[in-house]
Structure formats: structure tokens, C-alpha cells
Amino acid sequence: MSDGRLSVNQETVKQWSLPELAEGCAKAGIDKVGLWRAPVQSYGVGATARLLSGHGLTVTSLCRGGFLTAPDPAERARALDDNRAALDEAADVGTDTLVLVSGGLPEGSKDLYGARERIADALAELVPYAAERGVRLAIEPLHPMFASDRCVVSTLSQALDIAERFPAERVGVVVDTYHLWWDDQAPAQIARAGAGGRIHSFQLADWITPLPAGVLLGRGQLGDGSVDFRFFRRAVEETGFDGPVEVEIFNEGLWARDGAEVLAEVAARYAEHAC
């Protein structure tokens, strides 16, 4: 049986439009969703807020901000403007959490440390604006296979080293099982994050192999792979975290199926493997 904390990220049922997502979740008794900016922008930010509110849905996160590693001043300015827009959108759809995918190495660079410092520099500019909008910035560490092109922040330790330069109510981290399941330091870093009040989002997806070409769409349905979800949930909850548990799966096989069937399966797998 579900515990009422399940949130379904819309990418998990990407085949659904926003109205279909709202209606499907409401019918299934799921009252929390995570959103992505592109479909929200396409449908309209205000229209999205009204739609979800009308179906009794709470938005647990908006993805994504970030991509803050560019050294070029013009690129940096564009990235900061885009992140301010993302903060506006998060506030307007009613979530307090903007997920950050920090960005990969700039073209021609091999300087991981410099890239991470530019993320911190950018956050110093964004934090006051985030505070005005009542939104938290949640740094998501991604699996190291994404470090070159997508996210130079690969571990919770690296994410916390950046986040802890700022107030906990403004900058925290995402604990995503897909990206962290392999790391034997993850439990200690989850405890560190929790002690500082910096767990801003907890997300689930399974790790399955072989990975598909391009790897980005290789997340597995809960229970199909290598992740011990109860282990992670215990670690997170031992810190006092009692927030939403968001299932975010990028998988073309799931997207090819009936959305209602996938949603029902997600809820069943969540109850079986993560409660």
C-alpha cells in the first residue's frame, strides 16, 4: 500500500500531455507531481498552475535550472537569466524547489574544479533572487558518466561542498538513487545533508544494464535493476526527512506504453520496493 508520499515526475509518463497527467494522477489517487519546464512553457505557466490546482495536485519540484559552468561572460549572463526565469516559473506553478543540473565541462576544457567554482559563483548571484521568489535551489549530482557534458557535480559530497556556502533554506541537494546507488560514501553524505537541512528532493529510479545508446534514457522501472530503494529511503528518513518521494524515470519503453498502465505500475512498484 502506498504511504501518500509518492510524487510522479511527468517525464515518467512523458507520453501524456499536462491535462492527461493531471486527470490520470487524480484518478489514480496520486496528489503530487514533478514538472519539467519545456512542457510547462508550452502549455503556459499560469494555465499549468490552474490545471493542477483544479485537480488537487501539488507540484513537488520543477526541473531544470543550472548549466552554470560557462566561462564566457555572454554565455554566463544568458544562463543566469534563464535560471531567473526558471525561478519565476517554479514560484508561479507553486513549487518551492528548482532542481539544478549544474552543467558539464565547457568546450575544450578539462578543468573540473574551475567548472565547479563557476557554479558556486553563479549561485551567489541567484540566491537573492531565489529568496525573493520563495524557491530553493536543489543541486542534483549526476552519475560520473555525465560529468563531461551534463554535470560536473558527480557526488553528494561535491554538491554539499557547494551548497554549504549558502543558507540551507536556499541551497540544498537532490538525493536521486539512479545517480548515487553506486557510491559507498552516499550514506554518510546523506546523513551530512540531512543534518544540515539540505535534502530538498528525494528521487527514485532504478539502474539497469546494458545502458542504451546515449545513456540518458536508461533509467529503469523500480524493481527492475540494481538499486536497494529501502536502503536509501531508510538513510534519508533517518535524517528526519519526511517529504515527497518522487519517481523520475526516463525510459522509452515506458513511454511507448499506455500512460494509465505505467502510472498504475509505478504506484505498485513504489509500494512494493520503496515503502
Side-chain angles (χ1 to χ4, degrees), residues 156-227:
L156 270 181
S157 177
Q158 292 167 0
L160 287 165
D161 285 347
I162 296 171
E164 287 171 352
R165 304 184 194 192
F166 306 98
E169 66 272 17
R170 295 277 63 87
V171 184
V173 297
V174 180
V175 176
D176 186 326
T177 60
Y178 178 76
H179 294 299
L180 301 175
W181 74 276
W182 57 276
D183 186 358
D184 63 355
Q185 295 302 308
Q189 296 303 318
I190 288 170
R192 172 186 169 189
R198 293 186 187 271
I199 301 177
H200 289 351
S201 179
F202 179 36
Q203 296 184 334
L204 308 183
D206 217 335
W207 179 276
I208 54 175
T209 48
L211 296 172
V215 306
L216 186 61
L217 307 183
R219 295 183 180 218
Q221 174 65 281
L222 309 188
D224 283 353
S226 304
V227 179

Side-chain angles (χ1 to χ4, degrees), residues 28-228:
I30 295 168
D31 63 358
K32 301 175 186 65
V33 294
L35 298 179
W36 277 68
R37 293 179 67 196
V40 168
Q41 291 168 348
S42 178
Y43 190 75
V45 177
T48 297
R50 292 188 294 273
L51 172 72
L52 299 181
S53 176
H55 284 82
L57 297 175
T58 297
V59 182
T60 54
S61 71
L62 179 68
C63 196
R64 59 175 170 62
F67 283 80
L68 299 168
T69 56
D72 177 74
E75 287 185 56
R76 174 186 172 84
R78 285 193 294 271
L80 289 170
D81 285 345
D82 184 62
N83 277 268
R84 293 185 189 99
L87 288 163
D88 290 341
E89 292 161 11
D92 290 345
V93 298
T95 183
D96 65 356
T97 303
L98 176 67
V99 174
L100 302 181
V101 176
S102 298
L105 283 172
E107 185 175 356
S109 174
K110 298 181 181 180
D111 183 6
L112 288 167
Y113 302 97
R116 292 184 193 125
E117 280 304 306
R118 285 192 293 275
I119 295 165
D121 291 344
L123 291 180
E125 296 194 43
L126 292 172
V127 161
Y129 192 81
E132 290 176 5
R133 304 300 279 138
V135 178
R136 309 178 298 183
L137 297 159
I139 303 170
E140 181 170 16
L142 267 58
H143 189 280
M145 66 182 173
F146 295 112
S148 64
D149 65 340
R150 195 166 293 270
C151 188
V152 296
V153 178
S154 301
T155 66
L156 270 181
S157 177
Q158 292 167 0
L160 287 165
D161 285 347
I162 296 171
E164 287 171 352
R165 304 184 194 192
F166 306 98
E169 66 272 17
R170 295 277 63 87
V171 184
V173 297
V174 180
V175 176
D176 186 326
T177 60
Y178 178 76
H179 294 299
L180 301 175
W181 74 276
W182 57 276
D183 186 358
D184 63 355
Q185 295 302 308
Q189 296 303 318
I190 288 170
R192 172 186 169 189
R198 293 186 187 271
I199 301 177
H200 289 351
S201 179
F202 179 36
Q203 296 184 334
L204 308 183
D206 217 335
W207 179 276
I208 54 175
T209 48
L211 296 172
V215 306
L216 186 61
L217 307 183
R219 295 183 180 218
Q221 174 65 281
L222 309 188
D224 283 353
S226 304
V227 179
D228 185 342

